[in-house]
Amino acid sequence: MLETDPLLVDLHGTTAKRYVLPTTLPTLSTTEEGGTQVKKPTEYTLVGVFDRSGKYIYTGTSRGHFNIIDAETREVIPI
């Protein structure tokens, strides 16, 4: 589960809509699998919560990074 991107799921309407939430650029590590070097993320989004108004989503990563995301546009707000 940690290897998937964080999602915002909109349950309004008859069909659920899934939106991938942006994150800070991941920290990558290089490992070797089957003789091929593969870059894997070493940073994952672990928590996400809406603010009281529902306008923003706050997310935190395993490396201590914090993102504020506009819930309507799903874009990271620079802080």
Side-chain angles (χ1 to χ4, degrees):
M1 182 168 159
L2 288 178
E3 294 182 7
T4 61
D5 293 323
L7 294 174
L8 170 65
V9 180
D10 183 352
L11 299 175
H12 290 93
T14 58
T15 305
K17 296 176 188 169
R18 296 173 184 222
Y19 302 99
V20 174
L21 291 177
T23 61
T24 56
L25 295 175
T27 304
L28 298 175
S29 67
T30 304
T31 60
E32 195 161 317
E33 291 183 6
T36 306
Q37 285 193 347
V38 178
K39 290 192 177 198
K40 290 188 170 185
T42 58
E43 177 178 343
Y44 303 99
T45 298
L46 298 177
V47 64
V49 64
F50 282 90
D51 74 334
R52 288 187 208 186
S53 69
K55 186 174 180 181
Y56 301 106
I57 304 167
Y58 304 127
T59 63
T61 72
S62 59
R63 294 259 178 168
H65 292 117
F66 180 72
N67 290 309
I68 300 174
I69 301 169
D70 184 302
E72 188 173 329
T73 63
R74 295 175 305 282
E75 293 181 1
V76 174
I77 297 173
I79 52 173

XYZ file of all heavy atoms in Angstrom:
616
model
N 0.814 -1.185 0.000
C 0.000 0.000 0.000
C 0.861 1.254 0.000
O 0.500 2.241 -0.599
C -0.926 -0.007 1.203
C -1.826 1.179 1.243
S -3.105 0.905 2.464
C -3.572 2.558 2.744
N 2.006 1.222 0.661
C 2.837 2.406 0.716
C 3.434 2.775 -0.631
O 3.875 3.884 -0.817
C 3.962 2.223 1.732
C 3.555 2.235 3.192
C 4.774 1.999 4.075
C 2.869 3.523 3.567
N 3.472 1.849 -1.563
C 4.084 2.138 -2.844
C 3.121 2.775 -3.831
O 3.496 3.081 -4.952
C 4.686 0.863 -3.432
C 5.849 0.365 -2.600
C 6.507 -0.855 -3.172
O 6.163 -1.257 -4.296
O 7.366 -1.413 -2.494
N 1.881 3.000 -3.449
C 0.935 3.659 -4.343
C 0.864 5.140 -4.017
O 1.172 5.564 -2.917
C -0.474 3.048 -4.212
O -0.933 3.237 -2.869
C -0.472 1.571 -4.552
N 0.485 5.936 -4.996
C 0.330 7.369 -4.794
C -0.887 7.641 -3.918
O -1.870 6.900 -3.971
C 0.146 8.079 -6.139
C 1.401 8.024 -6.994
O 2.500 8.124 -6.420
O 1.282 7.906 -8.219
N -0.846 8.725 -3.131
C -2.021 9.067 -2.324
C -3.175 9.496 -3.227
O -2.966 10.140 -4.249
C -1.540 10.223 -1.442
C -0.351 10.779 -2.143
C 0.246 9.660 -2.926
N -4.394 9.108 -2.856
C -5.575 9.388 -3.667
C -6.595 10.217 -2.905
O -6.751 10.070 -1.694
C -6.274 8.094 -4.079
C -5.553 7.148 -5.010
C -6.351 5.862 -5.174
C -5.328 7.787 -6.355
N -7.318 11.049 -3.649
C -8.521 11.702 -3.150
C -9.665 11.025 -3.889
O -9.672 10.978 -5.119
C -8.506 13.196 -3.460
C -9.810 13.944 -3.188
C -10.136 13.930 -1.700
C -9.733 15.360 -3.700
N -10.592 10.450 -3.151
C -11.725 9.762 -3.779
C -12.973 10.593 -3.556
O -13.367 10.854 -2.419
C -11.909 8.337 -3.193
C -13.082 7.639 -3.863
C -10.633 7.529 -3.365
N -13.605 11.030 -4.660
C -14.826 11.838 -4.616
C -16.014 10.891 -4.758
O -16.192 10.247 -5.784
C -14.811 12.855 -5.752
C -15.999 13.787 -5.745
O -16.940 13.579 -4.946
O -15.993 14.738 -6.548
N -16.818 10.792 -3.705
C -17.951 9.865 -3.697
C -19.263 10.524 -4.087
O -20.314 9.899 -3.992
C -18.076 9.216 -2.310
C -16.869 8.396 -1.869
C -17.047 7.907 -0.439
C -16.631 7.239 -2.811
N -19.222 11.783 -4.536
C -20.443 12.444 -4.986
C -20.874 11.858 -6.329
O -20.043 11.522 -7.163
C -20.215 13.950 -5.145
C -20.036 14.643 -3.841
N -18.795 14.871 -3.286
C -20.939 15.140 -2.973
C -18.947 15.483 -2.139
N -20.236 15.656 -1.919
N -22.141 11.751 -6.546
C -22.640 11.210 -7.807
C -22.741 9.698 -7.758
O -22.623 9.059 -6.715
N -22.946 9.113 -8.918
C -23.162 7.667 -8.992
C -21.875 6.870 -9.128
O -21.849 5.684 -8.857
C -24.079 7.330 -10.186
O -23.467 7.833 -11.378
C -25.450 7.938 -10.010
N -20.804 7.523 -9.569
C -19.540 6.840 -9.760
C -18.449 7.530 -8.952
O -18.315 8.749 -9.007
C -19.131 6.861 -11.251
O -20.185 6.308 -12.020
C -17.876 6.056 -11.489
N -17.680 6.751 -8.215
C -16.567 7.319 -7.454
C -15.474 7.775 -8.413
O -15.141 7.075 -9.367
C -16.012 6.285 -6.494
N -14.932 8.970 -8.157
C -13.840 9.497 -8.978
C -12.582 9.507 -8.121
O -12.617 9.914 -6.973
C -14.157 10.919 -9.442
C -15.358 10.995 -10.347
C -15.664 12.437 -10.686
C -16.982 12.521 -11.423
N -17.451 13.885 -11.549
N -11.485 9.041 -8.706
C -10.210 8.987 -7.993
C -9.242 9.986 -8.607
O -9.087 10.032 -9.817
C -9.613 7.591 -8.077
C -10.447 6.562 -7.395
C -9.903 5.186 -7.639
N -10.789 4.220 -7.044
C -10.378 3.175 -6.367
N -9.102 2.941 -6.236
N -11.253 2.356 -5.841
N -8.597 10.755 -7.733
C -7.620 11.746 -8.166
C -6.316 11.491 -7.411
O -6.314 11.389 -6.195
C -8.097 13.166 -7.852
C -9.424 13.517 -8.476
C -10.595 13.451 -7.741
C -9.498 13.916 -9.799
C -11.820 13.785 -8.304
C -10.720 14.254 -10.377
C -11.871 14.183 -9.623
O -13.083 14.510 -10.184
N -5.218 11.396 -8.129
C -3.910 11.241 -7.495
C -3.524 12.596 -6.916
O -3.577 13.617 -7.595
C -2.850 10.772 -8.508
C -1.462 10.745 -7.874
C -3.213 9.409 -9.056
N -3.164 12.604 -5.632
C -2.755 13.841 -4.985
C -1.274 14.090 -5.239
O -0.469 13.156 -5.214
C -3.000 13.775 -3.480
C -4.454 13.772 -3.041
C -4.549 13.625 -1.532
C -5.150 15.051 -3.477
N -0.903 15.344 -5.474
C 0.519 15.644 -5.664
C 1.261 15.525 -4.336
O 0.668 15.660 -3.271
C 0.506 17.096 -6.159
C -0.747 17.673 -5.589
C -1.740 16.538 -5.543
N 2.533 15.258 -4.423
C 3.372 15.185 -3.230
C 4.671 15.914 -3.521
O 4.939 16.291 -4.654
C 3.692 13.726 -2.851
O 4.397 13.121 -3.942
C 2.439 12.935 -2.564
N 5.482 16.079 -2.493
C 6.818 16.607 -2.732
C 7.569 15.585 -3.561
O 7.201 14.414 -3.621
C 7.564 16.838 -1.411
O 7.590 15.626 -0.682
C 6.912 17.923 -0.588
N 8.634 16.024 -4.207
C 9.415 15.079 -4.998
C 9.956 13.991 -4.093
O 10.506 14.272 -3.032
C 10.568 15.803 -5.697
C 10.143 16.820 -6.747
C 11.378 17.548 -7.278
C 9.391 16.159 -7.874
N 9.791 12.724 -4.488
C 10.221 11.635 -3.613
C 11.735 11.525 -3.550
O 12.434 11.874 -4.483
C 9.612 10.396 -4.270
C 9.493 10.762 -5.699
C 9.212 12.251 -5.726
N 12.203 11.039 -2.433
C 13.604 10.680 -2.294
C 13.732 9.281 -2.875
O 12.963 8.396 -2.527
C 13.996 10.675 -0.806
O 13.677 11.951 -0.262
C 15.460 10.383 -0.629
N 14.671 9.093 -3.791
C 14.801 7.805 -4.464
C 16.059 7.077 -4.023
O 17.093 7.686 -3.754
C 14.848 7.988 -5.984
C 13.616 8.617 -6.632
C 13.867 8.840 -8.107
C 12.398 7.741 -6.430
N 15.951 5.766 -3.918
C 17.124 4.930 -3.681
C 17.262 4.003 -4.877
O 16.287 3.658 -5.527
C 16.972 4.123 -2.393
O 15.942 3.178 -2.534
N 18.483 3.634 -5.179
C 18.733 2.746 -6.308
C 19.020 1.351 -5.780
O 19.883 1.169 -4.928
C 19.924 3.255 -7.140
O 19.652 4.593 -7.553
C 20.135 2.397 -8.373
N 18.254 0.383 -6.278
C 18.473 -1.015 -5.909
C 18.633 -1.822 -7.186
O 18.309 -1.358 -8.273
C 17.294 -1.581 -5.096
O 16.107 -1.495 -5.886
C 17.097 -0.824 -3.803
N 19.125 -3.023 -7.040
C 19.306 -3.878 -8.200
C 18.335 -5.041 -8.116
O 18.274 -5.746 -7.122
C 20.745 -4.389 -8.273
C 21.070 -4.958 -9.625
C 22.562 -5.040 -9.866
O 23.272 -4.087 -9.529
O 22.987 -6.068 -10.402
N 17.536 -5.201 -9.163
C 16.558 -6.297 -9.231
C 16.744 -7.023 -10.552
O 16.584 -6.432 -11.615
C 15.128 -5.758 -9.132
C 14.786 -5.193 -7.774
C 13.344 -4.723 -7.677
O 12.569 -4.950 -8.634
O 12.998 -4.129 -6.655
N 17.079 -8.267 -10.473
C 17.241 -9.063 -11.691
C 18.329 -8.529 -12.601
O 18.210 -8.591 -13.815
N 19.400 -7.969 -12.023
C 20.495 -7.441 -12.822
C 20.241 -6.041 -13.359
O 21.067 -5.504 -14.076
N 19.094 -5.447 -13.057
C 18.765 -4.108 -13.527
C 18.648 -3.164 -12.345
O 18.024 -3.506 -11.343
C 17.415 -4.118 -14.298
O 17.481 -5.099 -15.327
C 17.112 -2.766 -14.892
N 19.233 -1.974 -12.475
C 19.108 -0.989 -11.410
C 17.736 -0.332 -11.475
O 17.290 0.087 -12.536
C 20.196 0.073 -11.514
C 21.538 -0.424 -11.069
C 22.518 0.708 -10.873
O 22.280 1.820 -11.288
N 23.631 0.405 -10.232
N 17.062 -0.292 -10.330
C 15.713 0.256 -10.243
C 15.708 1.338 -9.168
O 16.237 1.130 -8.079
C 14.691 -0.852 -9.875
C 13.302 -0.279 -9.725
C 14.717 -1.960 -10.910
N 15.101 2.489 -9.496
C 14.969 3.549 -8.494
C 13.624 3.395 -7.799
O 12.598 3.313 -8.449
C 15.084 4.920 -9.144
C 16.467 5.218 -9.623
C 16.643 6.658 -9.992
C 18.087 6.874 -10.383
N 18.474 8.248 -10.352
N 13.669 3.322 -6.476
C 12.447 3.159 -5.683
C 12.331 4.320 -4.709
O 13.333 4.792 -4.184
C 12.487 1.845 -4.898
C 12.372 0.620 -5.757
C 12.219 -0.587 -4.881
C 11.856 -1.786 -5.737
N 11.578 -2.949 -4.937
N 11.105 4.767 -4.468
C 10.937 5.852 -3.498
C 11.269 5.387 -2.089
O 11.001 4.260 -1.721
C 9.461 6.224 -3.619
C 8.804 5.066 -4.274
C 9.850 4.346 -5.062
N 11.899 6.280 -1.329
C 12.164 5.995 0.081
C 11.371 6.966 0.950
O 11.618 7.081 2.132
C 13.662 6.120 0.395
O 14.102 7.431 0.057
C 14.464 5.085 -0.347
N 10.442 7.677 0.339
C 9.584 8.629 1.039
C 8.148 8.369 0.615
O 7.871 8.247 -0.563
C 9.991 10.059 0.670
C 9.116 11.106 1.283
C 9.597 12.506 0.930
O 10.738 12.679 0.491
O 8.796 13.427 1.077
N 7.269 8.261 1.581
C 5.874 7.939 1.289
C 4.953 8.894 2.030
O 5.248 9.315 3.143
C 5.550 6.500 1.733
C 6.451 5.484 1.099
C 7.550 4.984 1.792
C 6.221 5.028 -0.184
C 8.393 4.048 1.209
C 7.050 4.102 -0.771
C 8.135 3.616 -0.064
O 8.964 2.695 -0.650
N 3.812 9.209 1.415
C 2.795 9.981 2.114
C 2.081 9.029 3.064
O 1.529 8.025 2.638
C 1.798 10.611 1.122
O 2.518 11.509 0.265
C 0.709 11.376 1.848
N 2.121 9.356 4.351
C 1.558 8.461 5.363
C 0.230 8.934 5.921
O -0.550 8.132 6.418
C 2.544 8.305 6.523
C 3.890 7.688 6.174
C 4.783 7.666 7.408
C 3.708 6.296 5.617
N -0.026 10.241 5.875
C -1.237 10.764 6.484
C -1.780 11.912 5.651
O -1.037 12.653 5.021
C -0.972 11.215 7.949
C 0.007 12.370 7.982
C -2.242 11.553 8.670
N -3.094 12.020 5.613
C -3.764 13.130 4.955
C -5.034 13.463 5.712
O -5.738 12.558 6.166
N -5.295 14.754 5.877
C -6.484 15.180 6.618
C -6.985 16.493 6.026
O -6.199 17.319 5.574
C -6.176 15.307 8.131
C -5.147 16.381 8.404
C -7.428 15.545 8.930
N -8.302 16.653 6.002
C -8.898 17.915 5.552
C -8.870 18.919 6.692
O -8.962 18.547 7.865
C -10.358 17.698 5.137
C -10.524 17.064 3.787
C -10.583 15.688 3.666
C -10.613 17.839 2.648
C -10.739 15.089 2.435
C -10.774 17.253 1.400
C -10.833 15.881 1.298
N -8.781 20.222 6.352
C -8.945 21.243 7.383
C -10.437 21.364 7.691
O -11.269 20.706 7.066
C -8.342 22.585 6.942
C -9.166 23.315 5.901
O -9.908 22.664 5.142
O -9.062 24.548 5.840
N -10.788 22.174 8.678
C -12.189 22.287 9.110
C -13.139 22.716 8.002
O -14.276 22.279 7.964
C -12.313 23.290 10.250
C -11.762 22.806 11.518
C -12.094 23.801 12.591
N -11.089 23.742 13.635
C -11.167 24.407 14.745
N -12.175 25.212 14.964
N -10.232 24.299 15.641
N -12.679 23.585 7.117
C -13.546 24.093 6.052
C -13.665 23.126 4.877
O -14.546 23.267 4.041
C -13.008 25.441 5.539
O -11.780 25.250 4.837
N -12.757 22.152 4.787
C -12.762 21.222 3.661
C -12.072 21.789 2.436
O -12.049 21.168 1.386
N -11.480 22.973 2.568
C -10.846 23.645 1.431
C -9.432 23.119 1.173
O -8.959 23.146 0.054
C -10.810 25.147 1.679
C -10.310 25.944 0.516
C -10.423 27.433 0.767
C -9.899 28.195 -0.440
N -9.954 29.627 -0.269
N -8.751 22.661 2.217
C -7.371 22.217 2.084
C -7.195 20.799 2.619
O -7.909 20.360 3.509
C -6.419 23.145 2.853
C -6.485 24.563 2.383
C -7.115 25.535 3.147
C -5.932 24.945 1.162
C -7.192 26.850 2.718
C -6.012 26.256 0.724
C -6.631 27.198 1.507
O -6.715 28.490 1.069
N -6.207 20.109 2.066
C -5.811 18.797 2.542
C -4.370 18.932 3.019
O -3.513 19.439 2.295
C -5.880 17.737 1.425
C -7.281 17.681 0.817
C -5.450 16.369 1.958
C -7.346 16.889 -0.478
N -4.117 18.511 4.247
C -2.767 18.526 4.787
C -2.230 17.108 4.710
O -2.897 16.165 5.135
C -2.757 18.987 6.244
C -3.391 20.336 6.472
C -4.386 20.499 7.418
C -3.005 21.444 5.731
C -4.972 21.736 7.642
C -3.593 22.690 5.945
C -4.568 22.829 6.903
O -5.141 24.052 7.111
N -1.031 16.942 4.148
C -0.429 15.612 4.076
C 0.961 15.642 4.685
O 1.652 16.660 4.662
C -0.324 15.092 2.624
O 0.534 15.945 1.866
C -1.701 15.008 1.967
N 1.371 14.512 5.233
C 2.705 14.376 5.816
C 3.369 13.123 5.299
O 2.708 12.122 5.025
N 4.692 13.188 5.141
C 5.432 12.060 4.584
C 6.288 11.379 5.641
O 6.486 11.894 6.737
C 6.352 12.516 3.432
O 7.446 13.260 3.986
C 5.606 13.335 2.403
N 6.819 10.235 5.269
C 7.674 9.462 6.156
C 8.997 10.165 6.432
O 9.703 9.802 7.364
C 7.945 8.082 5.543
O 8.559 8.220 4.276
N 9.343 11.169 5.660
C 10.578 11.928 5.862
C 10.326 13.273 6.538
O 11.198 14.124 6.609
C 11.271 12.170 4.530
C 11.766 10.930 3.877
C 13.210 10.810 4.101
N 13.694 9.578 3.499
C 14.940 9.335 3.352
N 15.835 10.215 3.722
N 15.319 8.206 2.838
N 9.091 13.505 6.989
C 8.792 14.733 7.712
C 8.389 15.909 6.850
O 8.275 17.022 7.342
N 8.186 15.699 5.555
C 7.728 16.785 4.697
C 6.233 16.999 4.886
O 5.484 16.059 5.153
C 8.032 16.490 3.221
C 9.485 16.503 2.922
N 10.149 15.388 2.482
C 10.412 17.477 3.013
C 11.410 15.679 2.308
N 11.605 16.943 2.629
N 5.803 18.220 4.726
C 4.414 18.627 4.947
C 3.922 19.328 3.700
O 4.603 20.206 3.168
C 4.378 19.568 6.159
C 3.018 20.064 6.508
C 2.086 19.225 7.074
C 2.674 21.386 6.289
C 0.822 19.683 7.414
C 1.424 21.868 6.625
C 0.503 21.004 7.189
N 2.772 18.929 3.175
C 2.177 19.570 1.996
C 0.811 20.112 2.350
O 0.057 19.496 3.111
C 1.994 18.565 0.853
C 3.294 18.124 0.249
O 4.112 18.938 -0.118
N 3.484 16.825 0.150
N 0.478 21.248 1.778
C -0.878 21.787 1.851
C -1.404 21.745 0.424
O -0.808 22.313 -0.486
C -0.906 23.227 2.389
C -0.311 23.266 3.793
C -2.339 23.756 2.390
C -0.158 24.659 4.354
N -2.517 21.051 0.234
C -3.075 20.851 -1.104
C -4.452 21.492 -1.160
O -5.279 21.291 -0.258
C -3.181 19.339 -1.419
C -1.798 18.692 -1.328
C -3.816 19.104 -2.777
C -1.811 17.188 -1.350
N -4.708 22.265 -2.222
C -6.037 22.837 -2.446
C -6.958 21.687 -2.846
O -6.703 20.987 -3.826
C -5.958 23.887 -3.564
C -7.273 24.588 -3.800
O -8.278 23.901 -4.092
O -7.298 25.825 -3.698
N -8.027 21.461 -2.093
C -8.903 20.316 -2.329
C -9.656 20.418 -3.657
O -9.981 19.400 -4.269
C -9.899 20.153 -1.185
N -9.910 21.633 -4.124
C -10.659 21.793 -5.376
C -9.754 21.602 -6.602
O -10.105 20.885 -7.536
C -11.305 23.178 -5.433
C -12.247 23.331 -6.615
C -13.003 24.648 -6.566
O -13.278 25.151 -5.474
O -13.305 25.174 -7.653
N -8.590 22.233 -6.596
C -7.693 22.151 -7.769
C -6.711 20.991 -7.646
O -6.086 20.617 -8.632
C -6.884 23.439 -7.928
O -6.031 23.617 -6.789
C -7.792 24.649 -8.097
N -6.543 20.449 -6.412
C -5.614 19.373 -6.127
C -4.168 19.758 -6.476
O -3.402 18.955 -6.968
C -6.028 18.077 -6.821
C -7.354 17.549 -6.276
C -7.848 16.349 -7.031
N -7.981 16.505 -8.447
C -8.993 17.133 -9.048
N -9.954 17.654 -8.338
N -9.054 17.214 -10.352
N -3.820 21.004 -6.206
C -2.450 21.492 -6.435
C -1.806 21.830 -5.092
O -2.483 22.294 -4.175
C -2.456 22.728 -7.323
C -2.907 22.428 -8.736
C -2.895 23.671 -9.621
O -2.522 24.761 -9.148
O -3.274 23.552 -10.795
N -0.504 21.576 -4.995
C 0.220 21.913 -3.777
C 0.338 23.428 -3.667
O 0.664 24.114 -4.648
C 1.628 21.274 -3.775
C 2.438 21.735 -2.580
C 1.517 19.763 -3.780
N 0.066 23.951 -2.486
C 0.188 25.383 -2.226
C 1.576 25.608 -1.656
O 1.936 25.014 -0.628
C -0.905 25.856 -1.242
C -2.262 25.653 -1.883
C -0.676 27.306 -0.837
C -3.418 25.912 -0.961
N 2.379 26.447 -2.310
C 3.738 26.696 -1.792
C 3.690 27.372 -0.432
O 2.900 28.290 -0.222
C 4.380 27.610 -2.827
C 3.367 27.861 -3.887
C 2.090 27.197 -3.509
N 4.507 26.894 0.490
C 4.569 27.518 1.819
C 5.968 28.016 2.088
O 6.913 27.637 1.494
C 4.111 26.562 2.938
C 4.862 25.235 2.854
C 2.644 26.331 2.857
C 4.586 24.310 4.019
